[in-house]
Amino acid sequence: MSVLIVVEHDNQAPRENFRYALAAAGQLGGQIEALVIGENCRAVADIVSHAPGLAAVRVAENIAYKNGLAENCAPLIAEQVGEITHVIMAAGSLARMWLPRAAALADSQMISEIIGIEAADTFVRPIYAGNAFTTVQSLDAVKFLSIRTTAFEPVTGDADTPCKVTAITSGGDSGLTEFIGERVSALERPELTAAQIIISGGRGVGSADNFKLLEALADKLGAGIGASRAAVDEGYAPNDFQVGQTGKIVAPDLYMAVGISGAIQHLAGIRDSKCIVAINKDADAPIFEIADYGLVGDLFEIIPQLQAALEE
Ligand SMILES: Cc1cc2nc3c(=O)[nH]c(=O)nc-3n(C[C@H](O)[C@H](O)[C@H](O)COP(=O)(O)OP(=O)(O)OC[C@H]3O[C@@H](n4cnc5c(N)ncnc54)[C@H](O)[C@@H]3O)c2cc1C
C-alpha cells in the first residue's frame, strides 16, 4: 500500500486540512507521501516534510500551477500514481476540481467525501444529504478519495527529523485554459469550515439589516456567521455564508441556529457540530429535534438578551 496526499496550501503554508488527510492516510497504513503543487511553493513542502508519518514529499513548481487550474494540475496528479494505491485530498472545492479529472486520466474513479475507512478498498460516505450512509467497495487499482475533515481527528505534532523533499517536473501548461483573474471575498471573521463557533441566521431573521444583530453577537464570541439557503436566497446574507447540503459542511464546537427551521438540507451541513443551540419561535420546528439546547421564543427578544448577558 502506498498513499499520496495532495496538499492544499496558499504558497506559504499547508492548509490545516492536510493534517486530517494525513490521519485518513494513517488509517490505510503503508507508505505515505505528500504532493505539493504550485509556484514557488518549496516553503510549503518544507513545512509538510516535518509532519509525522510521512515518507517523502514531492513538490512540483511551475508558473502553470500557480492558480490551481484543474486542466494543468490534474494531469500532474495522474502521472504520479505509479506505485501509489490511494490518492487522498481533503474534501473541498480544490478536491472537487482536481480529483475527478486525475482519476479519469488514471482510468479510475473518484470516491468523494468519505467519512470512514473500513478496509483499503472499502469506504463509508454519506448519501441523501447525509441522511444515510453507504459503504462502497472499489475495485480500481488506484483509489482517488476526498475525505470529509469533520469525520477525522487531525494528526498533531511534528516528526523529529523532516522527510526528504524531491522536486518533480511535469507538462505544466496544458494550453486548455487560461487564468483571467479572481475575486476573493475579504473575510473579517473566522472561515466557516474552520470556525469554532458559528452563528447562523435563517429566513426568520427577516432582512439583511437584521443580520447585524447576529454580527454583534458573533463579534462578542469571535464567531463565524452562517446562513440557511432561504436567508441567502432572500438576499439577507452572501452566498458564501450558506451552510448545508449545497453550502458548507461545518463542525464547530458551538452552532447557533437562529430563525432556522431545520430542513434536512440544512441539517446535512451541521450534523457534526459538537453542540447545537436553536432559537425559534415555533416549538415544533424540526431543528429542535437535533438541537442540544433549544430556546423557544422570538429571536428579536432572545438575541439582545444574550448580547446583554455576555456584556455583563
Ligand atoms: C436540492 C436542495 C438543496 C438545498 N440546500 C440547502 C442548503 O445547503 N442549506 C440550507 O439551509 N437549505 C438548503 N435547501 C433549502 C431547504 O430545503 C430549506 O428551504 C431552507 O433550509 C429553509 O431555510 P430557513 O430554515 O431559514 O427558512 P424557513 O424554513 O422559512 O424557516 C424559518 C424559521 O424561522 C422561524 N422564525 C420566524 N420568525 C422568527 C422569529 N422572530 N424568532 C424566531 N424564529 C423565527 C420560523 O418559525 C421558521 O422555523 C436546499 C433545498 C434543496 C431542494
Side-chain angles (χ1 to χ4, degrees), residues 4 35 58 65 72-84 102 105-106 144 168-172:
L4 184 69
L35 172 64
R58 307 176 188 189
Y65 305 139
N72 297 347
C73 298
L76 169 72
I77 298 171
E79 282 162 21
Q80 296 308 305
V81 291
E83 302 296 303
I84 299 289
L105 290 167
F144 286 79
I168 54 168
T169 50
S170 177

Side-chain angles (χ1 to χ4, degrees), residues 10-302:
D10 62 0
N11 279 312
Q12 317 288 325
R15 281 199 61 197
E16 266 309 287
N17 63 17
F18 157 67
R19 291 200 168 250
Y20 294 78
L22 190 56
Q27 286 185 24
L28 284 162
Q31 170 159 304
I32 306 170
E33 295 186 42
L35 172 64
V36 177
I37 306 171
E39 192 216 7
N40 288 332
C41 56
R42 174 71 198 213
V44 179
D46 287 338
I47 296 172
V48 168
S49 70
H50 287 84
L54 272 186
V57 180
R58 307 176 188 189
V59 56
E61 294 180 287
N62 190 313
I63 183 90
Y65 305 139
K66 183 177 178 192
N67 299 298
L69 291 179
E71 289 76 7
N72 297 347
C73 298
L76 169 72
I77 298 171
E79 282 162 21
Q80 296 308 305
V81 291
E83 302 296 303
I84 299 289
T85 54
H86 297 75
V87 177
I88 295 191
M89 246 184 120
S93 44
L94 214 52
R96 278 196 286 271
M97 288 205 301
W98 289 359
L99 284 197
R101 288 172 167 93
L105 290 167
D107 198 20
S108 187
Q109 58 191 324
M110 176 193 180
I111 304 172
S112 62
E113 309 243 351
I114 66 164
I115 56 166
I117 296 171
E118 299 218 327
D121 62 355
T122 312
F123 313 100
V124 183
R125 62 184 301 277
I127 53 169
Y128 299 123
N131 286 291
F133 301 130
T134 182
T135 303
V136 201
Q137 188 181 31
S138 165
L139 301 180
D140 285 335
V142 187
K143 278 85 170 151
F144 286 79
L145 311 167
S146 73
I147 62 117
R148 201 176 262 193
T149 52
T150 51
F152 295 88
E153 283 296 321
V155 170
T156 53
D158 280 326
D160 291 338
T161 43
C163 65
K164 194 171 168 214
V165 177
T166 312
I168 54 168
T169 50
S170 177
D173 191 355
S174 65
L176 292 170
T177 43
E178 189 186 345
F179 180 80
I180 305 291
E182 67 184 341
R183 280 184 292 171
V184 182
S185 12
L187 275 183
E188 287 153 21
R189 297 177 194 284
E191 211 273 314
L192 284 182
T193 52
Q196 279 167 350
I197 303 177
I198 295 175
I199 301 177
S200 257
R203 195 180 344 237
V205 174
S207 72
D209 239 19
N210 291 344
F211 250 76
K212 294 203 176 88
L213 263 182
L214 306 191
E215 284 169 21
L217 191 59
D219 286 342
K220 225 40 278 110
L221 296 170
I225 297 203
S228 71
R229 177 156 151 184
V232 171
D233 288 348
E234 298 281 357
Y236 303 166
N239 199 45
D240 56 353
F241 281 26
Q242 186 179 315
V243 172
Q245 181 189 341
T246 43
K248 295 198 167 123
I249 309 285
V250 299
D253 293 335
L254 171 63
Y255 186 86
M256 282 179 72
V258 182
I260 292 179
S261 59
I264 52 165
Q265 295 88 355
H266 188 79
L267 303 187
I270 68 170
R271 279 183 200 283
D272 291 323
S273 305
K274 293 208 177 70
C275 177
I276 298 175
V277 174
I279 301 174
N280 198 302
K281 66 180 182 189
D282 175 7
D284 294 325
I287 189 82
F288 288 126
E289 284 165 30
I290 68 147
D292 298 286
Y293 299 93
L295 292 167
V296 179
D298 191 325
L299 69 95
F300 297 105
E301 289 167 18
I302 293 174

